[in-house]
Amino acid sequence: MAVEGGAKCVKYLLFFFNFIFWLAGLALIIIGVVVQVKLNKSILITDFEASGAPIVIIAVGVIIFFIAFFGCCGAWKESYCLVTTFAVLLTLIFLVEIAAAIAGYVFKDKVTKYLEIGFEEAMKNYTTVAESRDAVDEMQKMFKCCGSHNSTSWQFYFHNSSVPDSCCKNVTAGCGKSPKLEDLNSEGCIGVIDKWIKNNVLIVAGVALGIAFFQILGIIFACLLMKGIRSGYEVM
C-alpha cells in the first residue's frame, strides 16, 4: 500500500535529500583527494597518522555516494527494509565522520612535525633522488616558498649560497645560482604550509558541518518514512 498524506511528502523529501547526499559524497571525495595530494604528494608524508584523516574522508565520501543511490531506491519503492537499512548505514557514516573529525583534531599538531621531517628529508635527497627533487620543486613553486624555514636552509646542501631554481620569484633556468636575496621567495615552506592548513581547516569544517546537517535530516526523514510505511502495512 502506497504511503499517503504527510508520509508521501516525506517520501519525496527523502528522495530530494538523497540527491543532496550524492552531491555531499562527491564533495567529500574531492576535499579528501585535495588534502591528501597537498599533504602527501607534495610533501612526501607517508605516516598514516598524518594522512589517515583524508583517507577516511575519501572512503566516507565514496560510501555516501553509493548509499545515496540506495536511499533513493528505498524511498521510491517505499521499501521498509531498504529505508531502514539506509537509515542505519547513514547513522554509522555519521559516527565515522565524527571519529575522523576527532582524529584530525588530535593529530593536527603532529602534522607540522611530519611536514618538517618529510621536507628536510626531501631536501637532503634533492640532488640524488629525482622523486624528492620533483616534490620539493613542485611545492616551492606551488606555495612560493624556499627551504624548510627560509632560503638559508639550503646552505647545508648547496654551495656558494645557491638554491634550487624553484626558490626564485620568477623561475628561470639557473636563477638559483648565487641569487640576490630579493629575487628569492622569503618564506620557508613549513610555515607557509602550516598557514595553508590552518586557513583551510575552517572551510573543511564548514563543509563537514553542512554535510552532517543534511545527514541528520536524512536520518529523521528516513525514520518518518519508515513509520509511514509501517502504518500502511498495519492498515493492510
Side-chain angles (χ1 to χ4, degrees):
M1 181 178 178
V3 294
E4 299 294 341
K8 188 173 184 178
C9 179
V10 170
K11 166 186 172 178
Y12 289 113
L13 281 174
L14 183 60
F15 188 86
F16 169 75
F17 276 109
N18 270 292
F19 177 70
I20 300 298
F21 295 147
W22 183 82
L23 294 178
L26 187 61
L28 282 175
I29 294 172
I30 293 173
I31 290 173
V33 169
V34 169
V35 173
Q36 181 71 359
V37 168
K38 291 285 187 179
L39 293 182
N40 203 330
K41 180 181 177 181
S42 296
I43 311 169
L44 296 178
I45 292 179
T46 57
D47 194 289
F48 181 77
E49 289 182 342
S51 61
I55 293 175
V56 172
I57 291 174
I58 294 172
V60 169
V62 171
I63 294 171
I64 288 179
F65 188 87
F66 288 105
I67 287 180
F69 178 77
F70 187 76
C72 284
C73 292
W76 189 258
K77 292 179 176 295
E78 299 178 13
S79 169
Y80 182 84
C81 181
L82 288 176
V83 174
T84 301
T85 304
F86 166 76
V88 171
L89 291 176
L90 196 59
T91 301
L92 291 176
I93 290 298
F94 180 72
L95 295 176
V96 169
E97 288 173 342
I98 292 177
I102 294 174
Y105 179 79
V106 170
F107 295 118
K108 65 179 175 58
D109 293 331
K110 293 187 176 183
V111 172
T112 302
K113 181 183 75 173
Y114 293 129
L115 283 173
E116 187 166 4
I117 292 174
F119 190 71
E120 290 283 0
E121 185 67 22
M123 288 177 62
K124 180 180 179 181
N125 298 325
Y126 185 87
T127 58
T128 57
V129 181
E131 182 184 12
S132 296
R133 181 171 59 253
D134 293 341
V136 170
D137 285 341
E138 180 183 350
M139 187 174 71
Q140 291 191 149
K141 291 176 183 177
M142 183 184 303
F143 293 101
K144 299 187 182 303
C145 57
C146 183
S148 54
H149 300 289
N150 52 51
S151 60
T152 61
S153 300
W154 284 106
Q155 67 183 354
F156 302 105
Y157 312 106
F158 280 75
H159 300 292
N160 302 321
S161 300
S162 295
V163 296
D165 293 342
S166 56
C167 275
C168 300
K169 293 179 180 178
N170 296 312
V171 180
T172 56
C175 67
K177 294 181 179 180
S178 302
K180 295 180 180 179
L181 191 60
E182 58 267 24
D183 293 332
L184 302 177
N185 293 313
S186 59
E187 293 187 89
C189 294
I190 304 303
V192 172
I193 296 297
D194 190 48
K195 289 178 183 177
W196 179 85
I197 293 174
K198 291 177 179 177
N199 290 337
N200 285 274
V201 71
L202 292 178
I203 297 175
V204 174
V207 172
L209 285 174
I211 291 173
F213 173 74
F214 281 109
Q215 285 178 306
I216 293 172
L217 285 180
I219 294 170
I220 293 173
F221 285 138
C223 291
L224 291 174
L225 183 57
M226 286 160 52
K227 182 178 179 181
I229 295 172
R230 171 174 281 182
S231 297
Y233 288 154
E234 290 175 352
V235 170
M236 292 178 65

